[in-house]
Amino acid sequence: MKAKVIGMKAKIYGVFILFEAFFMLVASFVALHYNVNNDEKDVVSLFFSTIITAIFGFILLSAGREKSGRGRASETVGTLTMKDSFIIVTVTWVLFALFGMLPFLFTKTIDNVTDAFFESMSGFTTTGSTILDNIDELPHGILFWRSIIQWLGGLGIIVLFLAIIPAINKNSNRTMLFSAEASGLGVQKLHPKMSVTARRLWIIYIGFTIICVLAYWAGPMSLYDSVCHAFTTVASGGFSTHQASIGYYNSSYLEYICSLFMLMSGVNFSLYYFLIRGDVRLFAKNEELHWFLGIVMISVIIIAGLFYVAPMVDTVNTDVSAYPQPDFESRFRTALFHVSSIITSTGYQGSCFDYTIWGGLFLVPTLLMMVSGSCAGSTSGGIKVIREMICFKSINNTIKQMLHPSAVFTVRVSKEVVSNDILLRTLNFLFYYIILCVVSIVILDISGCSFEESVFNTITSLSNMGPGVGSTGPAASFSGLTVLAKWEMSFLMLVGRLEIFTVLLLFSPAFWDKK
């Protein structure tokens, strides 16, 4: 039975890698188009990357099949356990990042494995941190690849797999695979069959992407840029086809449209299904959505207000020349774009974007938004609003319990009681989040980052955010970091994208205990 389960895992890995090869082939055809029309030279390297990826996929797929007694290939039969699901999900994401770095290496866009893996992991986990300093000079094929890997990782590789291939094996537990990747508290089953749930989520995701493409294309973006930016906007990724990101276009229209779609991508995608189905009441009464929109509104007011207050309070660190125009509309738009970009962990830069030189007063609210994130079940990173709600309500209940010892209090979200199991898991998540932050800050500090940079680089990686501060701020890149810092941040990106437990469980001795 153990051999059968191993074979089943190999087959699953093989199918995943073949999926990646397919999208790599799409990027290759984009490169071919621009090779014919613009004489760009990345097409051969992309095709070569596709062939290597596909070969490994077929090898693993073949290894997952057993020979029957008659010499014919038969399907591997086995049953996945929850332990197997955690392993499959983690290994799949690592494999995607490993094969995803091949186009960067073969096109010589990046000349070493550390940087290529960093860029690839940052893409698939939708972190958006980059080591590239010459994005405008890169060929269209490689830029398209950077965009599409974020789109693939946005809603989840496993979710995509379950949507397209409902059953690798009739005995496999697809719910466990889904849960191991999408461990957020707000992910709801939209149908008794998990494959149908995954398909519905992806239909909504694709629909949003198409609408976003059209909205961008109606502005100053070309069709190519519209597609690439739609991929990374809906995925809350932040990779752009230009070094200056959205600010390259200097367009108020694009900044408003981009802010809208970033915020929409920060909402639980399950709620959109209920809204489309006509259940407006369920959408409108969702408490996490109320909290999220409230946090966004308060954050916009604070950032916009700081543009007026900071020059009077912090006269030393404030650079007024980096501020938007003094009129209300410019400052409101800049605040809205900044909040939308940060709280959804997208990390785009607008026409006025460098919060590191706005003044020290802007750093704390920016860091808090990085930590917070948006709604569970969205494409954003961070702790997620629903966990914050549960913690605040639990603290409030603890205070009331101390005042009224004989009373019984429960935590409710959208009028539903939160079980003690979920409450404990939420508190554990926050505990591990803090521990990871402390350990990572020490490692990054040892690697040569300043303390401030270590804090922001840790949070931006673990929250899948993108920009840091100082030498890794929104106006810079991560190319200057040491090898140790880049591998540490790559690890944090994976841990943050899979919401800590899925990866950290693999490092627990109890996980590997056969008993």
Side-chain angles (χ1 to χ4, degrees), residues 53-203:
T53 305
I55 289 173
F56 272 90
F58 279 117
I59 290 173
L60 287 172
L61 187 63
S62 299
R65 296 177 179 273
E66 292 182 332
K67 295 293 183 178
S68 66
R70 297 180 180 178
R72 293 177 299 178
S74 63
E75 296 294 325
T76 303
V77 179
T79 302
L80 290 179
T81 64
M82 196 66 207
K83 181 186 292 188
D84 295 324
S85 299
F86 287 123
I87 296 172
I88 288 171
V89 169
T90 303
V91 171
T92 296
W93 279 81
V94 173
L95 287 174
F96 262 62
L98 285 171
F99 286 100
M101 72 180 183
L102 295 182
F104 298 121
L105 291 172
F106 292 156
T107 59
K108 297 183 179 179
T109 300
I110 301 173
D111 60 5
N112 64 85
V113 171
T114 297
D115 285 355
F117 185 82
F118 180 95
E119 192 78 12
S120 182
M121 182 62 78
S122 178
F124 280 111
T125 59
T126 70
T127 303
S129 301
T130 183
I131 53 86
L132 296 173
D133 297 306
N134 60 335
I135 293 175
D136 292 275
E137 301 171 11
L138 298 180
H140 288 75
I142 203 69
L143 291 177
F144 185 84
W145 176 242
R146 288 178 82 240
S147 299
I148 205 167
I149 62 177
Q150 289 206 319
W151 190 72
L152 289 174
L155 203 58
I157 295 169
I158 306 298
V159 178
L160 169 63
F161 168 72
L162 294 177
I164 298 177
I165 296 187
I168 267 264
N169 182 279
K170 63 181 180 180
N171 295 323
S172 62
N173 193 322
R174 294 174 289 282
T175 301
M176 288 192 298
L177 281 172
F178 185 91
S179 299
E181 179 182 66
S183 55
L185 300 177
V187 179
Q188 303 177 42
K189 288 184 69 173
L190 307 181
H191 190 274
K193 292 183 177 180
M194 187 52 69
S195 58
V196 177
T197 293
R199 197 174 302 124
R200 288 173 177 175
L201 289 173
W202 263 91
I203 289 172

Side-chain angles (χ1 to χ4, degrees), residues 321-479:
S321 64
Y323 282 15
Q325 296 298 315
D327 60 281
F328 174 78
E329 188 278 330
S330 295
R331 293 189 169 183
F332 169 77
R333 172 168 40 85
T334 300
L336 176 64
F337 188 91
H338 177 68
V339 170
S340 303
S341 178
I342 298 298
I343 204 166
T344 61
S345 74
T346 308
Y348 276 145
Q349 293 120 41
S351 53
C352 179
F353 64 91
D354 196 351
Y355 55 82
T356 62
I357 59 175
W358 286 349
L361 293 177
F362 289 86
L363 294 183
V364 172
T366 297
L367 186 64
L368 290 176
M369 286 189 288
M370 285 182 175
V371 173
S372 171
S374 301
C375 300
S378 68
T379 58
S380 69
I383 289 176
K384 302 294 193 306
V385 173
I386 195 169
R387 290 193 177 97
E388 297 156 17
M389 290 170 53
I390 291 173
C391 286
F392 279 121
K393 291 188 176 188
S394 178
I395 291 171
N396 185 48
N397 282 356
T398 301
I399 294 173
K400 291 193 293 185
Q401 189 77 56
M402 294 174 68
L403 298 174
H404 307 282
S406 59
V408 177
F409 300 98
T410 58
V411 175
R412 293 177 179 270
V413 174
S414 297
K415 297 183 179 180
E416 294 186 7
V417 176
V418 176
S419 67
N420 288 332
D421 178 61
I422 292 178
L423 179 59
L424 183 62
R425 182 183 295 186
T426 301
L427 296 176
N428 284 337
F429 177 92
L430 293 175
F431 174 76
Y432 282 115
Y433 188 95
I434 293 170
I435 292 297
L436 277 170
C437 285
V438 172
V439 173
S440 179
I441 288 170
V442 172
I443 293 174
L444 292 179
D445 192 57
I446 293 173
S447 73
C449 297
S450 68
F451 178 76
E452 188 179 60
E453 289 175 349
S454 297
V455 171
F456 269 83
N457 290 347
T458 294
I459 298 300
T460 200
S461 300
L462 196 54
S463 293
N464 303 128
M465 173 56 233
V469 74
S471 64
T472 57
S477 73
F478 292 79
S479 58

